Amino acid sequence: MSTGHATVKLPIPLANRLQALAGARNTAALVRVRRPRGAAQRALAARNFASNDYLGLSTDRRLRAATVRAAAAYGAGSGASALVCGYTDLHAALELELADFTGRSRALVFPSGYHANLAVLGALARRRDAVFADRLVHASLIDAIVLSRARLRRYAHRDPAALAAQLGASRAALKFVVSDGVFSMDGDIAPVRDLARVARRHDAVLFIDDAHGLGVIGPGGRGAVDLHACGEAEVPLLVGTFGKAFGAAGAFAAGPADLMEAVLQHGRTYAYTTALAPAATAAARAALAIIREEPWRRAHLAGLIDHFRAAAAAAGIGVLPSSTPIQPVPVGDARRALRLGDALCERGFNVPVIRPPTVPAGTARLRISLTARHCATDVDALVETLDELLRREGASP
Ligand SMILES: Cc1ncc(COP(=O)(O)O)c(C=O)c1O
């Protein structure tokens, strides 16, 4: 987009770098485009299959009211790091409520899940340690491991036996095992109980990032860890986010009090960043109350997931195995996936096209996410349109 400013003369190595980056993006159909969304598009929620707002809480009147009240009382921003003066009684109350909800001794609130992951591993892992990560963990976990300087080892997706073999062969001083609870681009659930058993046998510390599971799966919406009946003894490090099922923004880490104290004292992305805004903190509190009190949202979502899978199967549409609201339709080729995404968009459906490097090369997909704001008719309309477009794609040269 032209800004109307004179072109800035860049050092030649930087200009060359930009050219190389642009070339790589263009040849592999990997250019990303942002589409500004207006507030009025809320009305189009029925055709939005792109959002992680799984319980439909981001527009809930109680979250909006809590946000407005907190902004009026505390101001728009928190003003400083939590260790300076950014920590309010709203943050303190939310931490207690989260510890109670997750059955952990202590919780710490962060401005985002990215911050939380970096803080946990940054505070606890060191150069001589090793972190064993599922091959498909979220990018923020990879960055957290790289920044911690611990050795990164990746094990085959959802494969406790492969993990056990790697752990057994490791001489690292301290070993961590890291996995998403619900995998963000695949929608499948980590075998948390088996990971915990293997980790315990090898004296490793298990860290589950359940950004996409908390609020949605497990008893009472307590996520993948509770689904596998794992408390903090089995999973000492747990991260959850408020940007997805909670419908707000921000995140938390939870676990034994001494581990959380170390994260508070030594987590650089806890100390050296502005604390979560009071308004978002209040919204997360309101969301947590709803998650606890309104199980019908999860029940409705579970019904929609079954409905979608049955309708897709009846139409012969392949969907990756997933019992969560993330229902990926594998396409393979990035260009073909883009064509399908654009065609869906022309019909009024917002379905994100996920391409490398977010997913491995050759595994581009449409990432359909269902939310409690959808109904069966919305799902039918999507499946019908997708079926027609896939048939047409199949027939095209
Ligand atoms: C598994 C996982 N962890 C962490 C994050 C980062 O959370 P946040 O958006 O709060 O930074 C995301 C997505 O954004 C995610 O999918």
Side-chain angles (χ1 to χ4, degrees):
M1 186 169 51
S2 167
T3 57
H5 296 302
T7 312
V8 176
K9 192 161 166 28
L10 301 175
I12 289 171
L14 179 55
N16 291 344
R17 175 79 42 85
L18 291 187
Q19 212 172 6
L21 287 171
R25 286 195 304 265
N26 290 334
T27 48
L30 299 180
V31 178
R32 266 108 163 132
V33 182
R34 297 174 303 165
R35 294 194 182 96
R37 177 169 66 89
Q41 280 173 276
R42 251 179 58 197
L44 299 180
R47 293 198 159 199
N48 182 7
F49 292 91
S51 171
N52 298 324
D53 182 16
Y54 302 121
L55 299 179
L57 293 181
S58 75
T59 50
D60 186 279
R61 69 180 160 71
R62 291 159 291 182
L63 266 74
R64 285 187 283 147
T67 304
V68 170
R69 273 198 308 274
Y74 293 80
S78 64
S81 158
L83 297 183
V84 181
C85 68
Y87 185 68
T88 67
D89 48 1
L90 296 177
H91 296 81
L94 177 57
E95 288 179 348
L96 290 177
E97 289 157 6
L98 286 165
D100 179 56
F101 177 64
T102 58
R104 263 70 190 160
S105 305
R106 190 174 178 193
L108 290 180
V109 166
F110 284 86
S112 78
Y114 220 116
H115 285 84
N117 285 339
L118 260 52
V120 168
L121 285 174
L124 302 175
R126 295 285 175 276
R127 197 187 289 277
R128 273 195 246 286
D129 303 338
V131 185
F132 299 80
D134 185 290
R135 203 169 63 79
L136 297 187
V137 290
H138 190 254
S140 59
L141 287 165
I142 297 297
D143 290 356
I145 299 163
V146 170
L147 267 179
S148 78
R149 298 195 179 90
R151 176 129 192 245
L152 165 62
R153 300 292 313 273
R154 306 190 84 161
Y155 62 89
H157 182 50
R158 297 179 70 247
D159 189 342
L163 169 66
Q166 291 188 5
L167 282 169
S170 168
R171 297 231 157 86
L174 176 54
K175 300 169 201 172
F176 293 87
V177 173
V178 173
S179 177
D180 290 16
V182 171
F183 288 87
S184 56
M185 297 300 139
D186 291 66
D188 49 356
I189 301 172
V192 180
R193 180 123 217 114
D194 293 337
L195 295 179
R197 187 175 36 76
V198 169
R200 173 169 290 228
R201 196 181 319 133
H202 293 275
D203 217 14
V205 184
L206 181 56
F207 174 5
I208 297 290
D209 170 352
D210 206 13
H212 295 272
L214 279 156
V216 181
I217 63 166
R222 286 186 300 272
V225 288
D226 231 47
L227 184 69
H228 290 98
C230 287
E232 69 181 8
E234 292 81 17
V235 181
L237 296 168
L238 173 68
V239 158
T241 58
F242 308 138
K244 307 183 195 300
F246 282 65
F252 70 95
D258 46 359
L259 286 185
M260 290 304 110
E261 183 63 16
V263 173
L264 185 158
Q265 299 293 339
H266 302 285
R268 293 168 67 85
T269 49
Y270 188 74
Y272 302 118
T273 194
T274 301
L276 182 66
T281 311
R285 289 187 72 196
L288 182 55
I290 296 171
I291 285 168
R292 300 186 96 151
E293 286 156 19
E294 298 184 0
W296 65 262
R297 290 174 186 273
R298 281 183 292 281
H300 173 60
L301 197 46
L304 282 179
I305 294 166
D306 288 346
H307 185 81
F308 170 79
R309 293 193 71 84
I317 299 173
V319 185
L320 295 184
S322 160
S323 57
T324 70
I326 303 166
Q327 295 289 325
V329 173
V331 178
D333 176 58
R335 273 195 187 76
R336 183 162 178 257
L338 270 184
R339 270 201 311 274
L340 283 165
D342 287 346
L344 282 163
C345 187
E346 275 162 26
R347 309 286 186 93
F349 293 95
N350 186 2
V351 176
V353 178
I354 309 295
R355 291 162 286 165
T358 308
V359 291
T363 70
R365 65 200 65 178
L366 301 172
R367 179 186 183 271
I368 293 166
S369 50
L370 302 171
T371 81
R373 292 248 176 238
H374 291 127
C375 64
T377 325
D378 304 329
V379 168
D380 290 339
L382 173 68
V383 171
E384 211 171 287
T385 308
L386 190 53
D387 181 34
E388 185 198 320
L389 295 173
L390 283 167
R391 277 174 203 282
R392 196 190 297 164
E393 268 282 324
S396 68

